[in-house]
Amino acid sequence: MMRRIRALALIGPLSLLLALLVPATAHADTATFAKTSDWGTGYTAQYTIRNTGATAMSGWTVVVEMPAGTSVGTYWDALMTASGNRYTFTARDYNRTIAPGAETTFGFTVFGSGTPASCTLNGASCGGGTPTRAAPPPRPSPRTGSCGCAAPGCATGTARRSSSAA
């Protein structure tokens, strides 16, 4: 009887240790880009987000880097923020949860002909995979000055910003 109690006392902690050492199955969800129309100086695009996991996806964020000279205009079925050429799209309340094997889409218009140079879905490659850390923003070079621009007067501190009265 004592042996059984000792055996049971060891099984609990060993099971917990094993659960901590064996990684959980991660989602390899995908976000697929497609042009839906093109008029030469711009186009409309769509991302399809697919839940490839066995559990519901609760919320999503797609971050894309657009090449210089290309910008995002209107968008739908997502919320968008922009910083330079980096655009972050997040789920709306009605498409936040994606069931296993299901998908949702969002779209946007693009000014210019460039397509996304990079894409992450919830911190991982849009093609599925492990989360990656975002690259840090570029540091200004000594030749362009502290403002990071190459405008005349920028390196000497005489470049001016236009501002509006508050």
Side-chain angles (χ1 to χ4, degrees):
M1 176 87 162
M2 263 327 244
R3 286 185 192 183
R4 284 186 184 164
I5 293 173
R6 285 185 193 154
L8 290 175
L10 287 174
I11 290 174
L14 288 175
S15 297
L16 178 61
L17 181 61
L18 184 60
L20 293 173
L21 293 176
V22 175
T25 303
H27 282 232
D29 306 310
T30 61
T32 306
F33 173 82
K35 282 187 182 182
T36 55
S37 68
D38 193 324
W39 55 89
T41 58
Y43 59 91
T44 58
Q46 172 178 293
Y47 269 95
T48 300
I49 301 168
R50 182 161 186 75
N51 179 352
T52 60
T55 59
M57 180 191 302
S58 180
W60 51 265
T61 300
V62 173
V63 179
V64 297
E65 293 277 344
M66 298 300 280
T70 301
S71 61
V72 173
T74 58
Y75 55 94
W76 51 94
D77 296 330
L79 299 172
M80 184 190 83
T81 59
S83 177
N85 288 338
R86 178 177 287 197
Y87 296 87
T88 302
F89 298 91
T90 55
R92 304 212 38 128
D93 287 340
Y94 58 85
N95 63 2
R96 181 176 319 280
T97 302
I98 306 172
E103 60 189 35
T104 191
T105 61
F106 71 93
F108 50 93
T109 58
V110 174
F111 300 104
S113 59
T115 57
S118 67
C119 173
T120 61
L121 169 61
N122 294 338
S125 166
C126 282
T130 56
T132 57
R133 292 174 49 92
R139 302 178 96 194
S141 71
R143 288 195 280 163
T144 59
S146 61
C147 63
C149 66
C154 179
T156 62
T158 59
R160 296 186 184 169
R161 287 186 176 174
S162 62
S163 63
S164 57

